[in-house]
Amino acid sequence: MLDAPPDRIVTDRLVIRRESADDATAIADAIDRNLVRLLPWMGWATEEAARPSAQLARLTEAAEQWDAREMFDYGIFDLDDGSFLGKIGMHRRIGPHGVELGYWLDAQAEGRGVISEAVAALIREALQMDGITEVEIHCDAANLRSQAVPRRLGFVLDRIEHRPIAAAAETGEHMVWVYQPDRR
């Protein structure tokens, strides 16, 4: 068993890997291109976040969180051409036996199964980690695209929590989807 997932995961079409400082501009550019799409759902989606300097600072913080085994943040890249497609992260904030996955995609990558492929890969890796027995995806009840992913991959809707609204399109009805191999 492992205390952290691998730095790099390769699937049929994707390279899911720890980001480096060299990725800051591509990430910032993708945030800038997708700001209108991300802002309703992601409170962090701001003009500031769309600057390479902000992404460099975030990458430094992400490396510290990785080393502390608190969060494992990845970029999603096309296997063939290396282009940046989006982000996915594994967060150790739901208790000692679980991880929460969060993700977003560049609009150009939507509708091709990229997030489903990346989430499936991270599920496999998470369940290889010491003590991890469940994986969760959290999303607002109004975010139909985000909730389609756990539905597609066999997650079970465990509960709906009432939370403060953190982004413009949120309802405050927070869905918690759970993947446990023995609950499927």
Side-chain angles (χ1 to χ4, degrees):
M1 297 300 268
L2 309 167
D3 69 340
D7 290 359
R8 179 181 169 93
I9 303 161
V10 178
T11 68
D12 290 342
R13 301 177 298 153
L14 308 173
V15 175
I16 304 162
R17 64 167 173 79
R18 284 183 78 172
E19 301 152 308
S20 71
D22 293 339
D23 299 317
T25 299
I27 296 165
D29 289 348
I31 292 170
D32 187 52
R33 275 193 310 277
N34 291 275
L35 203 51
V36 171
R37 293 177 50 255
L38 295 172
L39 187 57
W41 305 111
M42 310 284 187
W44 56 260
T46 64
E47 288 182 16
E48 174 63 28
R51 294 189 178 119
S53 60
Q55 289 307 308
L56 278 170
R58 186 198 55 78
L59 288 166
T60 298
E61 183 178 317
E64 291 168 2
Q65 291 174 327
W66 187 294
D67 292 343
R69 304 300 192 243
E70 296 168 355
M71 180 182 70
F72 307 101
D73 204 20
Y74 292 96
I76 304 169
F77 300 86
D78 185 275
L79 179 65
D80 292 331
D81 67 16
S83 61
F84 176 80
L85 303 175
K87 292 189 46 54
I88 190 165
M90 201 185 292
H91 306 269
R92 297 293 308 257
R93 60 182 171 211
I94 61 168
H97 301 292
V99 295
E100 177 188 344
L101 300 183
Y103 44 81
W104 65 269
L105 272 185
D106 189 312
Q108 298 167 1
E110 279 191 351
R112 300 184 347 217
V114 169
I115 279 297
S116 294
E117 189 171 327
V119 168
L122 261 63
I123 290 169
R124 287 188 298 274
E125 297 301 337
L127 294 174
Q128 296 298 314
M129 292 170 53
D130 290 334
I132 300 300
T133 58
E134 72 177 45
V135 178
E136 293 183 2
I137 291 176
H138 298 196
C139 66
D140 191 85
N143 192 336
L144 301 178
R145 289 193 78 95
S146 278
Q147 65 178 276
V149 175
R151 286 183 197 278
R152 190 177 307 119
L153 294 174
F155 284 67
V156 174
L157 178 59
D158 187 67
R159 63 193 179 279
I160 297 178
E161 300 174 345
H162 300 282
R163 294 200 180 163
I165 293 173
E170 290 184 349
T171 64
E173 299 293 312
H174 193 80
M175 303 174 93
V176 178
W177 296 87
V178 178
Y179 182 96
Q180 293 175 313
D182 58 345
R183 281 182 68 177
R184 297 194 60 209

